[in-house]
Amino acid sequence: MNMKMRLFLISVTIFCAIISSVNSCSPADLAALKAFKTGLTDSHLGLFNSWVGTDCCVNWYGVSCDPETKRVVDINLRGESEDPILTKSGQSGFMSGSISPEICKLDRLTTLIVADWKGITGEIPKCLTSLSNLRVLDLIGNKISGDIPADIGNLKMLAILNLADNQISGKIPASVVSMSGLMHLDLSNNQISGEMPADFGKLKMLSRALLNRNQLTGSIPVSIGNMNRLADLDLSRNRISGSVPDCLGKMQVLSTLNLDGNLISGQLPSALLSNRGLGILNLSRNSIGGNIPDVFHGNSYFMALDLSYNNLKGPIPGSLSAAKYIGHLDLSHNHLCGTIPVGNPFDHLEASSFANNDCLCGNPLKTC
């Protein structure tokens, strides 16, 4: 082989190496992903079998890169999904280990989903709050413990925060209200204690706030009434006390309100029962007293209205018969008295909807 041919082959090799390095993912991203993988153990699905070679942007399961910069932007690893790897195995995924802080070196990350693996333990890496581009953080369905990072509010771009079904404790960080773009917040089924931030209402973009099945105390922040996009609020099965704020009844977008299983007292706000948009209202298993406001009307449309297990007294309001639709109604285990109104929705309800009151009578109970 002459000298010209050797030089040509060397040039081609160098050129191919340059092209390969340009098209493959960042060495720093590659190292971070390998460290992340080392912290986790996939027992039977072999999800990480594709994590080989030096180009993490091509055929690495659950990893996506920006096509121009070749930087890792998405990690999407779900233990329960319609992914062929999971459907072929015929079972949901199980993964153990913990989330390595090395994941924070993926500084272009916009989506981090490590969800429904059931066995992942450890704490949420505090350095995640440095990922300024993060829009989705979904760690639902694991055994993650410890506190929510105090600086979680640094994630100004975050739209979805889902930490449900873990073993997270501590308080809701005060900084959470700084995530001005947050639209979905799910902290349900954890061990979170303390009071909700008084200025929770600063989350103006929030449409769903699911904080049920925790150990929250204190009263419902009045500032929630300022959340014009909130459609679903679930604070059920906590230790919340105080009364139901009147302002909740004036929220035009709110369609689902679950406050059952708390220590709420006071009386029912009239505006709450006359709200035209509210379709599901569950206030059962509290200590709410007074009469049921007689404020129902032709636009009242409740798929479910549950006021059972409280201290309500007086008659069942006759205006309930004027409601456009009442699907499920439960007024049992109160101190109601008087004749049950006739017509809809009472004609299709069973006796259990009115059981264990002081002196109710009429169909479907005994005649007066």
Side-chain angles (χ1 to χ4, degrees):
M1 184 180 298
N2 59 37
M3 183 61 67
K4 287 185 178 181
M5 180 59 70
R6 288 181 179 179
L7 291 174
F8 173 75
L9 291 176
I10 291 172
S11 299
V12 169
T13 301
I14 294 173
F15 176 77
C16 290
I18 293 173
I19 293 297
S20 177
S21 65
V22 169
N23 288 332
S24 62
C25 68
S26 155
D29 287 0
L30 181 64
L33 286 173
K34 287 183 175 181
F36 171 72
K37 172 187 172 183
T38 301
L40 299 171
T41 301
D42 168 25
S43 58
H44 60 274
L45 293 176
L47 296 181
F48 293 127
N49 290 347
S50 63
W51 287 33
V52 294
T54 58
D55 192 356
C56 58
C57 294
V58 179
N59 297 326
W60 278 42
Y61 180 84
V63 177
S64 300
C65 297
D66 184 299
E68 295 183 0
T69 64
K70 303 300 178 181
R71 297 296 307 276
V72 174
V73 292
D74 296 334
I75 295 178
N76 189 346
L77 300 173
R78 290 191 180 275
E80 295 181 0
S81 69
E82 299 300 321
D83 191 280
I85 291 180
L86 292 170
T87 55
K88 186 177 180 180
S89 70
Q91 55 187 321
S92 60
F94 180 85
M95 194 182 297
S96 59
S98 60
I99 300 175
S100 170
E102 293 295 309
I103 198 74
C104 303
K105 294 182 179 178
L106 299 173
D107 55 11
R108 301 294 179 87
L109 207 60
T110 62
T111 300
L112 177 58
I113 300 175
V114 185
D116 296 314
W117 293 106
K118 305 174 185 66
I120 294 178
T121 58
E123 299 188 3
I124 301 170
K126 291 179 173 55
C127 58
L128 284 180
T129 62
S130 68
L131 298 177
S132 58
N133 296 307
L134 203 61
R135 290 176 172 81
V136 177
L137 178 57
D138 187 349
L139 306 179
I140 185 176
N142 292 293
K143 291 184 179 178
I144 295 171
S145 58
D147 297 354
I148 300 172
D151 295 330
I152 193 78
N154 290 344
L155 300 176
K156 306 296 185 184
M157 302 290 291
L158 203 66
I160 296 175
L161 177 58
N162 191 350
L163 305 177
D165 300 334
N166 279 287
Q167 299 173 4
I168 296 170
S169 57
K171 298 181 179 182
I172 299 174
S175 70
V176 73
V177 302
S178 298
M179 294 187 287
S180 56
L182 195 65
M183 294 185 288
H184 178 101
L185 174 64
D186 192 348
L187 306 179
S188 60
N189 196 24
N190 278 288
Q191 300 166 17
I192 299 171
S193 58
E195 300 185 12
M196 295 177 63
D199 52 353
F200 192 80
K202 286 184 176 180
L203 296 171
K204 300 285 189 177
M205 299 296 292
L206 201 64
S207 62
R208 301 190 77 197
L210 310 178
L211 309 179
N212 51 299
R213 291 180 292 169
N214 278 290
Q215 300 169 16
L216 296 174
T217 55
S219 57
I220 300 171
V222 176
S223 65
I224 288 180
N226 300 323
M227 302 171 73
N228 297 326
R229 300 194 179 195
L230 189 65
D232 188 350
L233 176 61
D234 193 343
L235 303 178
S236 62
R237 298 173 67 176
N238 279 286
R239 300 173 185 171
I240 293 173
S241 56
S243 59
V244 180
D246 291 342
C247 60
L248 295 188
K250 301 174 184 178
M251 299 177 70
Q252 297 182 357
V253 178
L254 190 65
S255 61
T256 300
L257 178 61
N258 291 313
L259 302 178
D260 51 293
N262 281 289
L263 305 172
I264 296 172
S265 56
Q267 299 188 0
L268 288 171
S270 296
L272 196 62
L273 297 182
S274 62
N275 187 303
R276 298 190 176 195
L278 201 57
I280 296 176
L281 176 60
N282 191 345
L283 302 177
S284 66
R285 299 181 186 277
N286 281 288
S287 299
I288 299 171
N291 289 13
I292 301 175
D294 195 6
V295 293
F296 297 92
H297 48 78
N299 290 316
S300 297
Y301 193 103
F302 286 97
M303 291 176 284
L305 175 58
D306 193 342
L307 305 178
S308 62
Y309 290 92
N310 278 288
N311 296 320
L312 297 169
K313 61 182 183 179
I316 297 175
S319 61
L320 263 171
S321 298
K324 185 175 183 179
Y325 178 77
I326 304 284
H328 170 78
L329 175 66
D330 194 344
L331 303 177
S332 65
H333 297 272
N334 279 288
H335 301 290
L336 300 174
C337 199
T339 304
I340 298 173
V342 296
N344 283 322
F346 304 100
D347 292 346
H348 73 266
L349 296 173
E350 298 182 359
S352 58
S353 295
F354 309 99
N356 295 100
N357 276 284
D358 286 1
C359 48
L360 282 179
C361 61
N363 188 53
L365 299 178
K366 295 180 180 180
T367 56
C368 297

